[in-house]
Amino acid sequence: MRRRSARRLFGVLAAGTVAFTLFTSAPTAGATASVSTASVTQSAHEDAQPLSTRTPVVFVHGYTGNASNWVTAMSVFRLNGWSSSDLFAYEYDSYGNNVTNAQGLAAFVNGVKARTGASKVAIVNHSMGGLVSQYYLKVLGGNTSVSHLASIAGANHGTTYAGACLIYTTCQQMYPGSSFIAQISSGDETPGATRYATWYSACDGIIIPYTSTRLDGATNNNVVCQTHIGFLADTVVLGQIARFIAS
């Protein structure tokens, strides 16, 4: 019963939601980019190693999510030139431990690299997927295998909404001030040559405070008004992310 109530409370992140929104996308009212100084220092690296739509993309869902959350995103990426064979969705245990989930992401990325022959992949995450991704890139050294990281409404510094499901380790780790968040946010939040960008909104409603998504050293894009689940069907934002990764 406790697991079922937590699922209902976080129903906005449930797997089947996004499949419906494939045909009812919600465009953003607008977005304002807050560009960090890190983007300037990274420009030389970008020029030296131009990327294209052949860069494999790994999508990392949020709490209670799964691969179906990325139906719209994959459609947008295909429209922007990606082949379906270069688009991958990583699934993990929402109720387990994000350290284990990050280790699983590391193995998954290595598998994608082996399958595609690419030296690096891009990562697009949503919600708690931000924690999984950040731990992989920073603590496990995954930044050497990641060209771009795009965090959509990521719980990168936690959310007080996680207080509703603290019976699970993942939610304990997602709560602001946790030792897990301290580990991924101390020092350099955007390590390595990876290019980092975030998309966040005051209308999110799940990431509280909504500015939790921002990362020091990233290009942080403030979307005027978009809901937490609405981001996953926002073809404008998803198009921006595809172009960011192709840059």
Side-chain angles (χ1 to χ4, degrees), residues 33-42 134 149-151 156-157 188-191 194-200 213-221 244:
S34 174
V35 182
S36 71
T37 56
S39 62
V40 176
T41 60
Q42 290 173 343
Q134 287 300 105
L149 181 134
S151 187
N156 299 323
H157 296 95
D188 188 0
E189 292 189 339
T190 52
T194 304
R195 292 188 61 198
Y196 296 79
T198 72
W199 281 259
Y200 66 103
T213 298
R214 295 173 57 95
L215 293 170
D216 289 340
T219 299
N220 296 298
N221 299 281
F244 163 69

PDB file of all heavy atoms in Angstrom, residues 33-42 134 149-151 156-157 188-191 194-200 213-221 244:
ATOM      1  N   ALA A  33      17.969  31.972 -22.045  1.00  0.00           N
ATOM      2  CA  ALA A  33      19.184  31.247 -21.696  1.00  0.00           C
ATOM      3  C   ALA A  33      20.059  32.093 -20.792  1.00  0.00           C
ATOM      4  O   ALA A  33      20.288  33.266 -21.042  1.00  0.00           O
ATOM      5  CB  ALA A  33      19.949  30.882 -22.960  1.00  0.00           C
ATOM      6  N   SER A  34      20.544  31.480 -19.724  1.00  0.00           N
ATOM      7  CA  SER A  34      21.516  32.109 -18.849  1.00  0.00           C
ATOM      8  C   SER A  34      22.837  31.396 -19.075  1.00  0.00           C
ATOM      9  O   SER A  34      23.053  30.292 -18.584  1.00  0.00           O
ATOM     10  CB  SER A  34      21.082  31.973 -17.381  1.00  0.00           C
ATOM     11  OG  SER A  34      22.079  32.455 -16.524  1.00  0.00           O
ATOM     12  N   VAL A  35      23.736  31.995 -19.871  1.00  0.00           N
ATOM     13  CA  VAL A  35      24.928  31.320 -20.336  1.00  0.00           C
ATOM     14  C   VAL A  35      26.061  31.517 -19.346  1.00  0.00           C
ATOM     15  O   VAL A  35      26.375  32.630 -18.943  1.00  0.00           O
ATOM     16  CB  VAL A  35      25.346  31.854 -21.718  1.00  0.00           C
ATOM     17  CG1 VAL A  35      26.572  31.106 -22.226  1.00  0.00           C
ATOM     18  CG2 VAL A  35      24.203  31.739 -22.705  1.00  0.00           C
ATOM     19  N   SER A  36      26.686  30.432 -18.943  1.00  0.00           N
ATOM     20  CA  SER A  36      27.776  30.490 -17.991  1.00  0.00           C
ATOM     21  C   SER A  36      29.080  30.795 -18.695  1.00  0.00           C
ATOM     22  O   SER A  36      29.220  30.637 -19.903  1.00  0.00           O
ATOM     23  CB  SER A  36      27.913  29.150 -17.259  1.00  0.00           C
ATOM     24  OG  SER A  36      28.423  28.193 -18.146  1.00  0.00           O
ATOM     25  N   THR A  37      30.068  31.224 -17.926  1.00  0.00           N
ATOM     26  CA  THR A  37      31.384  31.482 -18.484  1.00  0.00           C
ATOM     27  C   THR A  37      32.031  30.203 -18.951  1.00  0.00           C
ATOM     28  O   THR A  37      32.918  30.220 -19.797  1.00  0.00           O
ATOM     29  CB  THR A  37      32.282  32.161 -17.432  1.00  0.00           C
ATOM     30  OG1 THR A  37      32.314  31.325 -16.261  1.00  0.00           O
ATOM     31  CG2 THR A  37      31.747  33.523 -17.056  1.00  0.00           C
ATOM     32  N   ALA A  38      31.568  29.061 -18.439  1.00  0.00           N
ATOM     33  CA  ALA A  38      32.153  27.779 -18.841  1.00  0.00           C
ATOM     34  C   ALA A  38      31.943  27.525 -20.317  1.00  0.00           C
ATOM     35  O   ALA A  38      32.775  26.905 -20.971  1.00  0.00           O
ATOM     36  CB  ALA A  38      31.539  26.650 -18.022  1.00  0.00           C
ATOM     37  N   SER A  39      30.820  28.037 -20.889  1.00  0.00           N
ATOM     38  CA  SER A  39      30.551  27.795 -22.301  1.00  0.00           C
ATOM     39  C   SER A  39      31.590  28.463 -23.181  1.00  0.00           C
ATOM     40  O   SER A  39      31.881  28.006 -24.278  1.00  0.00           O
ATOM     41  CB  SER A  39      29.154  28.299 -22.668  1.00  0.00           C
ATOM     42  OG  SER A  39      29.057  29.691 -22.466  1.00  0.00           O
ATOM     43  N   VAL A  40      32.170  29.570 -22.690  1.00  0.00           N
ATOM     44  CA  VAL A  40      33.199  30.272 -23.447  1.00  0.00           C
ATOM     45  C   VAL A  40      34.477  29.449 -23.482  1.00  0.00           C
ATOM     46  O   VAL A  40      35.104  29.258 -24.524  1.00  0.00           O
ATOM     47  CB  VAL A  40      33.474  31.667 -22.840  1.00  0.00           C
ATOM     48  CG1 VAL A  40      34.610  32.353 -23.586  1.00  0.00           C
ATOM     49  CG2 VAL A  40      32.221  32.507 -22.885  1.00  0.00           C
ATOM     50  N   THR A  41      34.854  28.920 -22.318  1.00  0.00           N
ATOM     51  CA  THR A  41      36.090  28.145 -22.237  1.00  0.00           C
ATOM     52  C   THR A  41      35.972  26.818 -22.950  1.00  0.00           C
ATOM     53  O   THR A  41      36.969  26.242 -23.373  1.00  0.00           O
ATOM     54  CB  THR A  41      36.478  27.900 -20.774  1.00  0.00           C
ATOM     55  OG1 THR A  41      35.430  27.170 -20.134  1.00  0.00           O
ATOM     56  CG2 THR A  41      36.687  29.216 -20.041  1.00  0.00           C
ATOM     57  N   GLN A  42      34.739  26.313 -23.115  1.00  0.00           N
ATOM     58  CA  GLN A  42      34.543  25.045 -23.784  1.00  0.00           C
ATOM     59  C   GLN A  42      34.436  25.187 -25.297  1.00  0.00           C
ATOM     60  O   GLN A  42      34.480  24.203 -26.021  1.00  0.00           O
ATOM     61  CB  GLN A  42      33.273  24.359 -23.255  1.00  0.00           C
ATOM     62  CG  GLN A  42      33.414  23.860 -21.836  1.00  0.00           C
ATOM     63  CD  GLN A  42      32.099  23.342 -21.291  1.00  0.00           C
ATOM     64  OE1 GLN A  42      31.043  23.627 -21.820  1.00  0.00           O
ATOM     65  NE2 GLN A  42      32.172  22.577 -20.223  1.00  0.00           N
ATOM     66  N   GLN A 134      24.331  12.744 -12.899  1.00  0.00           N
ATOM     67  CA  GLN A 134      25.396  13.514 -12.256  1.00  0.00           C
ATOM     68  C   GLN A 134      26.355  12.605 -11.488  1.00  0.00           C
ATOM     69  O   GLN A 134      27.571  12.817 -11.501  1.00  0.00           O
ATOM     70  CB  GLN A 134      24.802  14.563 -11.314  1.00  0.00           C
ATOM     71  CG  GLN A 134      24.146  15.746 -12.013  1.00  0.00           C
ATOM     72  CD  GLN A 134      25.122  16.512 -12.889  1.00  0.00           C
ATOM     73  OE1 GLN A 134      25.095  16.408 -14.117  1.00  0.00           O
ATOM     74  NE2 GLN A 134      26.006  17.267 -12.279  1.00  0.00           N
ATOM     75  N   LEU A 149      25.560  16.825 -21.919  1.00  0.00           N
ATOM     76  CA  LEU A 149      24.545  16.425 -20.951  1.00  0.00           C
ATOM     77  C   LEU A 149      23.457  17.489 -20.925  1.00  0.00           C
ATOM     78  O   LEU A 149      23.737  18.668 -20.697  1.00  0.00           O
ATOM     79  CB  LEU A 149      25.122  16.240 -19.552  1.00  0.00           C
ATOM     80  CG  LEU A 149      24.052  15.791 -18.537  1.00  0.00           C
ATOM     81  CD1 LEU A 149      24.558  14.648 -17.672  1.00  0.00           C
ATOM     82  CD2 LEU A 149      23.586  16.954 -17.661  1.00  0.00           C
ATOM     83  N   ALA A 150      22.222  17.062 -21.177  1.00  0.00           N
ATOM     84  CA  ALA A 150      21.067  17.960 -21.127  1.00  0.00           C
ATOM     85  C   ALA A 150      20.139  17.491 -20.016  1.00  0.00           C
ATOM     86  O   ALA A 150      19.661  16.356 -20.039  1.00  0.00           O
ATOM     87  CB  ALA A 150      20.329  17.952 -22.465  1.00  0.00           C
ATOM     88  N   SER A 151      19.904  18.342 -19.034  1.00  0.00           N
ATOM     89  CA  SER A 151      19.072  17.993 -17.891  1.00  0.00           C
ATOM     90  C   SER A 151      17.749  18.746 -17.978  1.00  0.00           C
ATOM     91  O   SER A 151      17.724  19.980 -17.922  1.00  0.00           O
ATOM     92  CB  SER A 151      19.800  18.328 -16.583  1.00  0.00           C
ATOM     93  OG  SER A 151      19.076  17.856 -15.470  1.00  0.00           O
ATOM     94  N   ASN A 156      18.617  18.061  -9.644  1.00  0.00           N
ATOM     95  CA  ASN A 156      20.067  18.068  -9.466  1.00  0.00           C
ATOM     96  C   ASN A 156      20.522  18.505  -8.080  1.00  0.00           C
ATOM     97  O   ASN A 156      21.591  18.094  -7.620  1.00  0.00           O
ATOM     98  CB  ASN A 156      20.714  18.939 -10.543  1.00  0.00           C
ATOM     99  CG  ASN A 156      20.431  18.419 -11.934  1.00  0.00           C
ATOM    100  OD1 ASN A 156      20.383  17.210 -12.159  1.00  0.00           O
ATOM    101  ND2 ASN A 156      20.222  19.312 -12.883  1.00  0.00           N
ATOM    102  N   HIS A 157      19.738  19.340  -7.419  1.00  0.00           N
ATOM    103  CA  HIS A 157      20.032  19.731  -6.042  1.00  0.00           C
ATOM    104  C   HIS A 157      18.902  19.292  -5.107  1.00  0.00           C
ATOM    105  O   HIS A 157      18.771  19.809  -4.000  1.00  0.00           O
ATOM    106  CB  HIS A 157      20.264  21.235  -5.936  1.00  0.00           C
ATOM    107  CG  HIS A 157      21.464  21.702  -6.703  1.00  0.00           C
ATOM    108  ND1 HIS A 157      21.389  22.202  -7.984  1.00  0.00           N
ATOM    109  CD2 HIS A 157      22.783  21.715  -6.373  1.00  0.00           C
ATOM    110  CE1 HIS A 157      22.596  22.509  -8.403  1.00  0.00           C
ATOM    111  NE2 HIS A 157      23.458  22.226  -7.456  1.00  0.00           N
ATOM    112  N   ASP A 188      33.290  21.032  -8.357  1.00  0.00           N
ATOM    113  CA  ASP A 188      32.903  21.271  -9.753  1.00  0.00           C
ATOM    114  C   ASP A 188      31.656  20.459 -10.099  1.00  0.00           C
ATOM    115  O   ASP A 188      31.687  19.236 -10.101  1.00  0.00           O
ATOM    116  CB  ASP A 188      34.071  20.878 -10.660  1.00  0.00           C
ATOM    117  CG  ASP A 188      33.838  21.275 -12.112  1.00  0.00           C
ATOM    118  OD1 ASP A 188      32.766  21.859 -12.417  1.00  0.00           O
ATOM    119  OD2 ASP A 188      34.728  21.002 -12.948  1.00  0.00           O
ATOM    120  N   GLU A 189      30.563  21.149 -10.406  1.00  0.00           N
ATOM    121  CA  GLU A 189      29.319  20.458 -10.758  1.00  0.00           C
ATOM    122  C   GLU A 189      29.285  20.010 -12.217  1.00  0.00           C
ATOM    123  O   GLU A 189      28.442  19.201 -12.592  1.00  0.00           O
ATOM    124  CB  GLU A 189      28.112  21.368 -10.488  1.00  0.00           C
ATOM    125  CG  GLU A 189      27.866  21.649  -9.025  1.00  0.00           C
ATOM    126  CD  GLU A 189      26.558  22.366  -8.783  1.00  0.00           C
ATOM    127  OE1 GLU A 189      26.014  22.995  -9.728  1.00  0.00           O
ATOM    128  OE2 GLU A 189      26.063  22.298  -7.644  1.00  0.00           O
ATOM    129  N   THR A 190      30.181  20.542 -13.015  1.00  0.00           N
ATOM    130  CA  THR A 190      30.195  20.217 -14.450  1.00  0.00           C
ATOM    131  C   THR A 190      31.607  19.814 -14.872  1.00  0.00           C
ATOM    132  O   THR A 190      32.264  20.518 -15.627  1.00  0.00           O
ATOM    133  CB  THR A 190      29.720  21.428 -15.275  1.00  0.00           C
ATOM    134  OG1 THR A 190      30.492  22.587 -14.890  1.00  0.00           O
ATOM    135  CG2 THR A 190      28.245  21.708 -15.030  1.00  0.00           C
ATOM    136  N   PRO A 191      32.092  18.669 -14.396  1.00  0.00           N
ATOM    137  CA  PRO A 191      33.478  18.282 -14.629  1.00  0.00           C
ATOM    138  C   PRO A 191      33.767  17.842 -16.061  1.00  0.00           C
ATOM    139  O   PRO A 191      32.869  17.426 -16.796  1.00  0.00           O
ATOM    140  CB  PRO A 191      33.668  17.102 -13.667  1.00  0.00           C
ATOM    141  CG  PRO A 191      32.305  16.502 -13.555  1.00  0.00           C
ATOM    142  CD  PRO A 191      31.368  17.664 -13.588  1.00  0.00           C
ATOM    143  N   THR A 194      32.851  17.743 -21.061  1.00  0.00           N
ATOM    144  CA  THR A 194      31.427  17.619 -21.391  1.00  0.00           C
ATOM    145  C   THR A 194      30.766  18.990 -21.432  1.00  0.00           C
ATOM    146  O   THR A 194      31.050  19.846 -20.592  1.00  0.00           O
ATOM    147  CB  THR A 194      30.711  16.748 -20.337  1.00  0.00           C
ATOM    148  OG1 THR A 194      31.363  15.484 -20.258  1.00  0.00           O
ATOM    149  CG2 THR A 194      29.252  16.547 -20.699  1.00  0.00           C
ATOM    150  N   ARG A 195      29.874  19.199 -22.393  1.00  0.00           N
ATOM    151  CA  ARG A 195      29.073  20.419 -22.422  1.00  0.00           C
ATOM    152  C   ARG A 195      27.772  20.145 -21.675  1.00  0.00           C
ATOM    153  O   ARG A 195      27.089  19.158 -21.942  1.00  0.00           O
ATOM    154  CB  ARG A 195      28.775  20.850 -23.865  1.00  0.00           C
ATOM    155  CG  ARG A 195      30.010  21.323 -24.634  1.00  0.00           C
ATOM    156  CD  ARG A 195      29.592  21.916 -25.970  1.00  0.00           C
ATOM    157  NE  ARG A 195      28.722  23.066 -25.762  1.00  0.00           N
ATOM    158  CZ  ARG A 195      27.925  23.587 -26.702  1.00  0.00           C
ATOM    159  NH1 ARG A 195      27.855  23.020 -27.885  1.00  0.00           N
ATOM    160  NH2 ARG A 195      27.185  24.643 -26.439  1.00  0.00           N
ATOM    161  N   TYR A 196      27.435  21.023 -20.734  1.00  0.00           N
ATOM    162  CA  TYR A 196      26.270  20.836 -19.871  1.00  0.00           C
ATOM    163  C   TYR A 196      25.230  21.923 -20.153  1.00  0.00           C
ATOM    164  O   TYR A 196      25.567  23.102 -20.328  1.00  0.00           O
ATOM    165  CB  TYR A 196      26.661  20.929 -18.401  1.00  0.00           C
ATOM    166  CG  TYR A 196      27.608  19.859 -17.905  1.00  0.00           C
ATOM    167  CD1 TYR A 196      28.976  19.942 -18.175  1.00  0.00           C
ATOM    168  CD2 TYR A 196      27.157  18.788 -17.137  1.00  0.00           C
ATOM    169  CE1 TYR A 196      29.858  18.975 -17.711  1.00  0.00           C
ATOM    170  CE2 TYR A 196      28.031  17.817 -16.663  1.00  0.00           C
ATOM    171  CZ  TYR A 196      29.380  17.920 -16.950  1.00  0.00           C
ATOM    172  OH  TYR A 196      30.257  16.962 -16.477  1.00  0.00           O
ATOM    173  N   ALA A 197      23.963  21.545 -20.148  1.00  0.00           N
ATOM    174  CA  ALA A 197      22.865  22.514 -20.260  1.00  0.00           C
ATOM    175  C   ALA A 197      21.667  21.998 -19.472  1.00  0.00           C
ATOM    176  O   ALA A 197      21.470  20.785 -19.337  1.00  0.00           O
ATOM    177  CB  ALA A 197      22.482  22.740 -21.722  1.00  0.00           C
ATOM    178  N   THR A 198      20.892  22.917 -18.936  1.00  0.00           N
ATOM    179  CA  THR A 198      19.686  22.553 -18.194  1.00  0.00           C
ATOM    180  C   THR A 198      18.496  23.362 -18.698  1.00  0.00           C
ATOM    181  O   THR A 198      18.662  24.465 -19.232  1.00  0.00           O
ATOM    182  CB  THR A 198      19.833  22.790 -16.679  1.00  0.00           C
ATOM    183  OG1 THR A 198      19.809  24.216 -16.409  1.00  0.00           O
ATOM    184  CG2 THR A 198      21.126  22.193 -16.138  1.00  0.00           C
ATOM    185  N   TRP A 199      17.317  22.798 -18.522  1.00  0.00           N
ATOM    186  CA  TRP A 199      16.057  23.483 -18.829  1.00  0.00           C
ATOM    187  C   TRP A 199      15.170  23.372 -17.592  1.00  0.00           C
ATOM    188  O   TRP A 199      14.933  22.256 -17.081  1.00  0.00           O
ATOM    189  CB  TRP A 199      15.373  22.834 -20.034  1.00  0.00           C
ATOM    190  CG  TRP A 199      15.957  23.259 -21.348  1.00  0.00           C
ATOM    191  CD1 TRP A 199      15.452  24.186 -22.219  1.00  0.00           C
ATOM    192  CD2 TRP A 199      17.178  22.777 -21.960  1.00  0.00           C
ATOM    193  NE1 TRP A 199      16.270  24.317 -23.317  1.00  0.00           N
ATOM    194  CE2 TRP A 199      17.335  23.464 -23.181  1.00  0.00           C
ATOM    195  CE3 TRP A 199      18.150  21.841 -21.577  1.00  0.00           C
ATOM    196  CZ2 TRP A 199      18.417  23.244 -24.035  1.00  0.00           C
ATOM    197  CZ3 TRP A 199      19.230  21.620 -22.411  1.00  0.00           C
ATOM    198  CH2 TRP A 199      19.360  22.311 -23.621  1.00  0.00           C
ATOM    199  N   TYR A 200      14.673  24.481 -17.082  1.00  0.00           N
ATOM    200  CA  TYR A 200      13.889  24.490 -15.847  1.00  0.00           C
ATOM    201  C   TYR A 200      12.817  25.563 -15.926  1.00  0.00           C
ATOM    202  O   TYR A 200      12.887  26.461 -16.776  1.00  0.00           O
ATOM    203  CB  TYR A 200      14.810  24.714 -14.641  1.00  0.00           C
ATOM    204  CG  TYR A 200      15.462  26.078 -14.607  1.00  0.00           C
ATOM    205  CD1 TYR A 200      14.997  27.080 -13.746  1.00  0.00           C
ATOM    206  CD2 TYR A 200      16.552  26.385 -15.422  1.00  0.00           C
ATOM    207  CE1 TYR A 200      15.589  28.339 -13.718  1.00  0.00           C
ATOM    208  CE2 TYR A 200      17.155  27.624 -15.400  1.00  0.00           C
ATOM    209  CZ  TYR A 200      16.674  28.616 -14.546  1.00  0.00           C
ATOM    210  OH  TYR A 200      17.257  29.858 -14.528  1.00  0.00           O
ATOM    211  N   THR A 213      17.353  22.625 -10.549  1.00  0.00           N
ATOM    212  CA  THR A 213      17.871  22.021 -11.782  1.00  0.00           C
ATOM    213  C   THR A 213      19.172  22.670 -12.247  1.00  0.00           C
ATOM    214  O   THR A 213      20.023  22.003 -12.845  1.00  0.00           O
ATOM    215  CB  THR A 213      16.813  22.131 -12.896  1.00  0.00           C
ATOM    216  OG1 THR A 213      15.646  21.411 -12.493  1.00  0.00           O
ATOM    217  CG2 THR A 213      17.319  21.573 -14.214  1.00  0.00           C
ATOM    218  N   ARG A 214      19.354  23.942 -11.969  1.00  0.00           N
ATOM    219  CA  ARG A 214      20.521  24.673 -12.456  1.00  0.00           C
ATOM    220  C   ARG A 214      21.824  24.030 -11.981  1.00  0.00           C
ATOM    221  O   ARG A 214      21.924  23.568 -10.843  1.00  0.00           O
ATOM    222  CB  ARG A 214      20.486  26.123 -11.986  1.00  0.00           C
ATOM    223  CG  ARG A 214      19.347  26.947 -12.550  1.00  0.00           C
ATOM    224  CD  ARG A 214      19.292  28.320 -11.894  1.00  0.00           C
ATOM    225  NE  ARG A 214      20.557  29.015 -12.058  1.00  0.00           N
ATOM    226  CZ  ARG A 214      20.826  29.889 -13.030  1.00  0.00           C
ATOM    227  NH1 ARG A 214      19.890  30.146 -13.943  1.00  0.00           N
ATOM    228  NH2 ARG A 214      21.986  30.492 -13.110  1.00  0.00           N
ATOM    229  N   LEU A 215      22.827  24.053 -12.855  1.00  0.00           N
ATOM    230  CA  LEU A 215      24.159  23.548 -12.522  1.00  0.00           C
ATOM    231  C   LEU A 215      25.185  24.650 -12.743  1.00  0.00           C
ATOM    232  O   LEU A 215      25.169  25.313 -13.794  1.00  0.00           O
ATOM    233  CB  LEU A 215      24.525  22.344 -13.388  1.00  0.00           C
ATOM    234  CG  LEU A 215      23.728  21.059 -13.181  1.00  0.00           C
ATOM    235  CD1 LEU A 215      24.064  20.052 -14.290  1.00  0.00           C
ATOM    236  CD2 LEU A 215      24.027  20.455 -11.808  1.00  0.00           C
ATOM    237  N   ASP A 216      26.052  24.858 -11.779  1.00  0.00           N
ATOM    238  CA  ASP A 216      27.126  25.825 -11.955  1.00  0.00           C
ATOM    239  C   ASP A 216      28.039  25.354 -13.080  1.00  0.00           C
ATOM    240  O   ASP A 216      28.481  24.198 -13.089  1.00  0.00           O
ATOM    241  CB  ASP A 216      27.942  25.967 -10.665  1.00  0.00           C
ATOM    242  CG  ASP A 216      27.185  26.691  -9.564  1.00  0.00           C
ATOM    243  OD1 ASP A 216      26.205  27.402  -9.887  1.00  0.00           O
ATOM    244  OD2 ASP A 216      27.573  26.550  -8.392  1.00  0.00           O
ATOM    245  N   GLY A 217      28.286  26.233 -14.050  1.00  0.00           N
ATOM    246  CA  GLY A 217      29.140  25.884 -15.171  1.00  0.00           C
ATOM    247  C   GLY A 217      28.371  25.408 -16.385  1.00  0.00           C
ATOM    248  O   GLY A 217      28.968  25.144 -17.432  1.00  0.00           O
ATOM    249  N   ALA A 218      27.041  25.293 -16.263  1.00  0.00           N
ATOM    250  CA  ALA A 218      26.210  24.859 -17.386  1.00  0.00           C
ATOM    251  C   ALA A 218      25.546  26.057 -18.051  1.00  0.00           C
ATOM    252  O   ALA A 218      25.515  27.162 -17.502  1.00  0.00           O
ATOM    253  CB  ALA A 218      25.133  23.887 -16.906  1.00  0.00           C
ATOM    254  N   THR A 219      25.003  25.834 -19.243  1.00  0.00           N
ATOM    255  CA  THR A 219      24.106  26.801 -19.862  1.00  0.00           C
ATOM    256  C   THR A 219      22.713  26.496 -19.323  1.00  0.00           C
ATOM    257  O   THR A 219      22.129  25.456 -19.647  1.00  0.00           O
ATOM    258  CB  THR A 219      24.123  26.678 -21.397  1.00  0.00           C
ATOM    259  OG1 THR A 219      25.435  26.934 -21.869  1.00  0.00           O
ATOM    260  CG2 THR A 219      23.159  27.678 -22.026  1.00  0.00           C
ATOM    261  N   ASN A 220      22.184  27.378 -18.477  1.00  0.00           N
ATOM    262  CA  ASN A 220      20.918  27.135 -17.781  1.00  0.00           C
ATOM    263  C   ASN A 220      19.800  27.914 -18.460  1.00  0.00           C
ATOM    264  O   ASN A 220      19.840  29.139 -18.517  1.00  0.00           O
ATOM    265  CB  ASN A 220      21.052  27.546 -16.309  1.00  0.00           C
ATOM    266  CG  ASN A 220      22.071  26.692 -15.578  1.00  0.00           C
ATOM    267  OD1 ASN A 220      21.919  25.483 -15.456  1.00  0.00           O
ATOM    268  ND2 ASN A 220      23.142  27.320 -15.084  1.00  0.00           N
ATOM    269  N   ASN A 221      18.823  27.194 -18.980  1.00  0.00           N
ATOM    270  CA  ASN A 221      17.742  27.795 -19.764  1.00  0.00           C
ATOM    271  C   ASN A 221      16.458  27.869 -18.942  1.00  0.00           C
ATOM    272  O   ASN A 221      15.894  26.831 -18.577  1.00  0.00           O
ATOM    273  CB  ASN A 221      17.498  26.959 -21.018  1.00  0.00           C
ATOM    274  CG  ASN A 221      18.721  26.892 -21.920  1.00  0.00           C
ATOM    275  OD1 ASN A 221      18.998  27.820 -22.663  1.00  0.00           O
ATOM    276  ND2 ASN A 221      19.472  25.795 -21.839  1.00  0.00           N
ATOM    277  N   PHE A 244      21.327  21.499 -29.473  1.00  0.00           N
ATOM    278  CA  PHE A 244      22.454  21.636 -28.539  1.00  0.00           C
ATOM    279  C   PHE A 244      23.411  20.456 -28.674  1.00  0.00           C
ATOM    280  O   PHE A 244      24.639  20.642 -28.748  1.00  0.00           O
ATOM    281  CB  PHE A 244      21.896  21.715 -27.109  1.00  0.00           C
ATOM    282  CG  PHE A 244      22.896  21.460 -26.026  1.00  0.00           C
ATOM    283  CD1 PHE A 244      23.926  22.347 -25.756  1.00  0.00           C
ATOM    284  CD2 PHE A 244      22.791  20.313 -25.240  1.00  0.00           C
ATOM    285  CE1 PHE A 244      24.851  22.107 -24.743  1.00  0.00           C
ATOM    286  CE2 PHE A 244      23.702  20.068 -24.229  1.00  0.00           C
ATOM    287  CZ  PHE A 244      24.737  20.961 -23.973  1.00  0.00           C
TER     288      PHE A 244
END
